[in-house]
Amino acid sequence: MTTLLKPDICVIGGGSGGLSVAAAAAAFGVPVVLIEKGRMGGDCLNYGCVPSKALLAAGKHAHQFSRGRPFGVADVEPEIDFAQAMKHVERVIGAIAPNDSVERFTALGVRVLKEEARFQDPRTVVAGDHVIRARRFVIATGSAPAVPPIPGLDTVPFLTNETIFARRRLPRHLVVIGGGPVGIELAQAHRRLGSRVTVIEAAAALGKEDPELAAVVLERLRAEGVDIHEQAKVERVERHGRTGIRIHLERAEEPLTVEGSHLLVATGRKPDLKPLALEKARIAHDARGIKVNRALRTTNRRVYAIGDVTGGLQFTHVANHHAGLVTRALLFRLPARENRLVIPRVTYTDPELAHIGLTESEARAHERGVKVLRWPYAENDRAQTEHRTEGFIKLVAGRGGRLLGVTIVGAEAGEMMNFWSLTLSKGLRIKDIAGYVAPYPTMSEIGKRAALAYYGEATRRSSVRRLIRFLRLFG
């Protein structure tokens, strides 16, 4: 028997973005239906951010055992139990899962349907034996691993981020196709836990990042024993022996064959739109995702889309940001405008690589009078005390000291990016950064030191030097 539901809001997708919209609506007493066919919490909790960072943490602890000598502590070869490391990942997911559970959201007042959703017409969604006719719909169905059409890939077993965390045995030799953040993070985590690791990238590894800072991360991975082949196109994949795989590469210098025990495909993500029947709802879309305007509204005025499914920046915090914008529009009719220049991103390797705003090359392509300011961790007292002197901060400033972008490679770069996210979102300038008081000794002080370097050029002018001497004598 079909049940007709008429909520104010219907959310399709129980990942971070969809859950945020549903929770906010319920908190204000708004009738809301949430439809999720898979695991609550979506990719971030179950296959992405949470498990990958938990595995990185395990690898980091293993790595630290062999880094004690500078502190007067003997280096130790750690005994690694990979199955226990993966149980650690499970426990972390399990600790967070109740916050995203059906039970919690039902208690909040959300009607949760564990079904697949599809549009029946521009104002109606069908989910199992339920028909939902809401005032507004929010599509937050996320994305899935994109598997490239590599010859032979369909004949060999391979892993993606959705399956690799289910393993309990350490891969003897993990071959990773894809040198983006996901591939690079999992490469370092597995290497530190004892796997031999090879990364294959058709272009440049971490190619979306500032190459000057990405080089620091790649140099560290190579020093730890990760083989990274850049500008290497996968020609074909085949089985090798009973359980192994062999990958044939095309390179400018000479062809190369890589043999491994396990294959991880980490070549990006794509939205899975087919089940939604978007054409029946008159929602424009293409292979990249659902088309939205700056207010995150689709071509169907009743429907919004947020997060990965829009084909933009694929980060959990972006989905949450979108959720906030759409919630304000739905509940309070406030204007919502996405500004991607204030969205930070972090690659959680060791050292971390964090960025917000424009890179140096992007800024020079759009602005005149761009100044680049750097400050190394090696010149930071706290970094010296902890022997974490690898990396630097890079500030990109425009005319009048307007801050255009920030990139940090080094320890705690992701934590530092909170400050710079606020800085760019509020339109602060270099003079504001140079003027704040930083606690000593902290690594984040490198940002202030870089900002002070902005005025170094001025102090070299003779008139300014004379003024400084005058102030010292008579000030």
Side-chain angles (χ1 to χ4, degrees):
M1 180 177 177
T2 300
T3 302
L4 177 63
L5 302 176
K6 293 185 176 181
D8 193 69
I9 299 170
C10 175
V11 180
I12 305 173
S16 58
L19 293 178
S20 295
V21 173
F28 283 94
V30 175
V32 56
V33 168
L34 172 67
I35 307 172
E36 172 53 62
K37 65 180 180 180
R39 298 174 68 177
M40 293 285 282
D43 184 77
C44 177
L45 173 62
N46 299 293
Y47 317 113
C49 312
V50 171
S52 63
K53 277 51 184 181
L55 192 64
L56 280 164
K60 188 173 183 179
H61 278 281
H63 184 69
Q64 288 173 341
F65 275 88
S66 60
R67 289 293 182 270
R69 191 167 298 279
F71 300 94
V73 179
D75 293 343
V76 177
E77 185 67 29
E79 294 184 10
I80 297 171
D81 186 331
F82 188 75
Q84 286 297 320
M86 298 310 294
K87 285 185 177 180
H88 155 68
V89 173
E90 275 187 0
R91 286 192 294 269
V92 173
I93 295 173
I96 299 172
N99 296 324
D100 296 346
S101 65
V102 172
E103 293 77 12
R104 176 173 181 260
F105 276 79
T106 300
L108 291 175
V110 178
R111 179 72 177 270
V112 181
L113 304 179
K114 295 293 292 177
E115 304 284 354
E116 182 173 85
R118 71 181 189 280
F119 281 92
Q120 188 177 68
D121 58 51
R123 58 170 300 179
T124 308
V125 162
V126 176
D129 57 0
H130 294 83
V131 175
I132 301 96
R133 192 163 290 140
R135 180 179 69 88
R136 294 288 184 266
F137 294 89
V138 179
I139 302 174
T141 50
S143 61
V147 179
I150 298 172
L153 189 58
D154 58 345
T155 67
V156 301
F158 64 87
L159 303 163
T160 68
N161 74 292
E162 290 188 350
T163 57
I164 193 168
F165 298 109
R167 290 194 54 79
R168 292 298 174 268
R169 297 185 64 181
L170 180 72
R172 179 178 53 80
H173 182 183
L174 180 66
V175 180
V176 182
I177 299 179
V182 173
I184 292 297
E185 286 182 359
L186 291 178
Q188 186 177 47
H190 281 83
R191 178 67 191 124
R192 288 181 164 187
L193 291 171
S195 291
R196 180 183 173 191
V197 180
T198 299
V199 176
I200 300 167
E201 170 55 48
L206 297 177
K208 293 184 179 180
E209 305 298 339
D210 186 316
E212 183 182 8
L213 291 93
V216 176
V217 175
L218 299 177
E219 182 180 351
R220 167 69 82 87
L221 263 70
R222 287 186 169 108
E224 292 182 8
V226 178
D227 293 324
I228 303 176
H229 300 288
E230 300 178 272
Q231 309 300 328
K233 180 183 177 181
V234 179
E235 182 184 33
R236 71 181 190 279
V237 177
E238 62 187 12
R239 285 184 177 271
H240 173 58
R242 293 181 58 189
T243 59
I245 49 100
R246 177 184 287 129
I247 303 173
H248 298 269
L249 306 180
E250 293 180 3
R251 303 187 305 167
E253 55 271 34
E254 61 180 9
L256 180 67
T257 299
V258 176
E259 296 176 353
S261 61
H262 295 79
L263 177 62
L264 169 65
V265 177
T267 51
R269 303 184 64 78
K270 65 177 182 179
D272 183 15
L273 303 178
K274 189 175 181 180
L276 291 170
L278 296 175
E279 62 282 351
K280 292 185 178 180
R282 300 172 190 166
I283 297 173
H285 62 282
D286 58 23
R288 293 188 58 204
I290 295 174
K291 296 182 181 295
V292 295
N293 60 20
R294 289 189 63 190
L296 301 169
R297 212 165 196 166
T298 71
T299 50
N300 180 337
R301 63 180 300 274
R302 294 179 179 275
V303 183
Y304 292 79
I306 63 175
D308 288 11
V309 77
T310 64
L313 301 172
Q314 296 179 336
F315 303 111
T316 297
H317 52 281
V318 172
N320 287 328
H321 174 57
H322 285 179
L325 294 175
V326 167
T327 299
R328 288 194 286 272
L330 291 175
L331 301 185
F332 309 111
R333 303 184 186 278
L334 296 173
R337 293 290 184 272
E338 181 189 20
N339 179 8
R340 294 186 179 182
L341 290 179
V342 298
I343 301 296
R345 62 177 182 261
V346 184
T347 301
Y348 291 92
T349 46
D350 179 16
E352 293 180 354
L353 177 57
H355 173 77
I356 190 170
L358 300 177
T359 63
E360 179 183 356
S361 60
E362 290 169 341
R364 293 194 187 281
H366 296 92
E367 300 263 350
R368 290 185 177 182
V370 170
K371 289 188 176 181
V372 176
L373 312 167
R374 299 175 179 82
W375 199 263
Y377 275 70
E379 293 294 328
N380 177 270
D381 293 356
R382 179 64 179 274
Q384 286 289 347
T385 67
E386 299 190 11
H387 291 288
R388 296 199 290 177
T389 57
E390 183 179 28
F392 61 99
I393 188 171
K394 184 176 183 179
L395 309 184
V396 179
R399 294 180 183 179
R402 184 166 59 94
L403 196 60
L404 303 176
V406 180
T407 311
I408 311 171
V409 60
E412 311 298 337
E415 296 296 332
M416 293 184 197
M417 195 48 63
N418 287 292
F419 172 82
W420 297 105
S421 181
L422 178 64
T423 297
L424 263 75
S425 67
K426 295 303 180 183
L428 299 185
R429 295 175 177 265
I430 291 296
K431 66 177 182 180
D432 300 311
I433 308 305
Y436 94 101
V437 179
Y440 174 88
T442 53
M443 291 187 187
S444 58
E445 191 183 6
I446 61 173
K448 179 173 181 176
R449 297 296 295 271
L452 288 170
Y454 180 82
Y455 301 100
E457 183 178 335
T459 61
R460 289 193 289 270
R461 293 199 293 266
S462 59
S463 59
V464 176
R465 289 200 301 271
R466 286 196 297 271
L467 176 60
I468 292 174
R469 284 198 298 270
F470 176 82
L471 291 173
R472 284 176 176 172
L473 289 172
F474 303 104

